[in-house]
Amino acid sequence: MTETVAADRTGRADATRLIQRGAIEWVIAALLALLLMRFLWSLARNENLLPGEVVHHLLHPDVLAGVWLTIRLTALVFAMASAIGLVVIRMERSGNPLLGGIAAAYVWVFGSIPVLVQLLLWSNIALVFPDITFAIPGVHIDAMRLVTPVHAAIAGLALALGAYAARALQDDDRLTASGDILVTTLQATSLVSVLSITDLLGVVQALEERNHLIIPLLTVAAIWYLVMVTAARGAIHLARLARGRGQAHSR
């Protein structure tokens, strides 16, 4: 009897704590919602943002061209980085100590040096190797002409993100890992603007120099990156749903 009363009191105490915690969470949520609404309202009324210029430049031909280049760079680098990652995983699991050591060294080096530094190194590779010979007699390739800013960007991003892919793709859920690699690649492409490449951010920076609409144009870039990243995550989510339905039907 005593144990039953004690258990009943404990149950009521737990329920009371849950109710109190729920009430506190609702109060915090309401405060956060009010702050968010206040922030959005201040943005809408802020004349410095120039919402008309934001809307005008969202579909500007140069901006759309930059978006398209960003998408193409993302697709190419994603494919290359994923392929590199799979090869590195295969080398690590081969059981060969030399291959495993090379794979570990690659992940250590390219996974440690910041991507921006790697892009700058590749763009200036001709200063180290002005002629590329591949150790073949009679072969002399002018590195200055061969390694264009776009080629340097692709090589730098693919090698850097290949190290990331080599770790991410070891996850059992490779579809989710691929989604993470895709989003990371898309975000990393913004770094190529330092090489004067006219991707989305590069175009925005060029337009800023002409019309000095810094905040509106950066807002345009932010909106487009939100759209592209959301679309990429949505596509991965749909692929996961399709895979789940396929597995359910196969059972």
Side-chain angles (χ1 to χ4, degrees):
M1 182 68 177
T2 304
E3 293 179 355
T4 303
V5 172
D8 184 55
R9 288 177 178 174
T10 302
R12 281 183 291 181
D14 291 340
T16 301
R17 281 195 293 269
L18 286 173
I19 293 172
Q20 291 174 342
R21 188 173 66 182
I24 293 172
E25 290 174 350
W26 274 108
V27 170
I28 294 173
L31 289 174
L32 290 175
L34 288 172
L35 288 173
L36 178 60
M37 291 174 63
R38 182 70 182 86
F39 173 70
L40 293 176
W41 179 249
S42 65
L43 280 181
R45 294 175 57 86
N46 193 322
E47 297 179 357
N48 295 322
L49 185 58
L50 300 176
E53 293 293 345
V54 174
V55 174
H56 172 71
H57 284 89
L58 271 176
L59 299 180
H60 190 285
D62 290 347
V63 172
L64 293 179
V67 170
W68 177 231
L69 179 56
T70 295
I71 292 172
R72 285 183 291 161
L73 275 175
T74 299
L76 179 58
V77 172
F78 169 72
M80 294 176 64
S82 298
I84 292 171
L86 291 173
V87 170
V88 171
I89 290 173
R90 178 59 180 158
M91 291 171 65
E92 289 178 333
R93 296 177 179 178
S94 66
N96 184 302
L98 180 57
L99 289 177
I102 293 173
Y106 163 76
V107 172
W108 172 56
V109 172
F110 288 92
S112 300
I113 301 174
V115 180
L116 180 57
V117 175
Q118 295 188 50
L119 291 177
L120 293 173
L121 284 171
W122 276 101
S123 66
N124 292 286
I125 196 68
L127 298 177
V128 182
F129 300 106
D131 291 321
I132 300 176
T133 64
F134 298 107
I136 301 174
V139 175
H140 295 283
I141 301 174
D142 187 350
M144 189 66 71
R145 293 184 178 181
L146 177 64
V147 186
T148 65
V150 173
H151 293 158
I154 293 171
L157 288 175
L159 288 170
L161 293 170
Y164 171 71
R167 288 291 167 260
L169 291 175
Q170 295 194 44
D171 196 316
D172 292 335
D173 188 354
R174 284 194 172 181
L175 183 57
T176 300
S178 295
D180 292 338
I181 297 168
L182 178 61
V183 170
T184 301
T185 302
L186 176 55
Q187 294 170 333
T189 58
S190 63
L191 296 173
V192 305
S193 61
V194 301
L195 304 182
S196 299
I197 295 175
T198 53
D199 69 315
L200 173 58
L201 185 57
V203 166
V204 163
Q205 290 174 332
L207 290 173
E208 286 175 5
E209 293 178 1
R210 296 206 298 263
N211 55 31
H212 307 291
L213 298 171
I214 298 175
I215 296 300
L217 285 168
L218 286 175
T219 302
V220 168
I223 291 172
W224 271 112
Y225 280 118
L226 278 171
V227 169
M228 290 188 289
V229 169
T230 301
R233 286 176 173 159
I236 294 298
H237 180 66
L238 291 176
R240 291 172 61 188
L241 289 177
R243 182 186 64 181
R245 290 173 183 170
Q247 291 174 346
H249 286 309
S250 63
R251 293 174 185 173

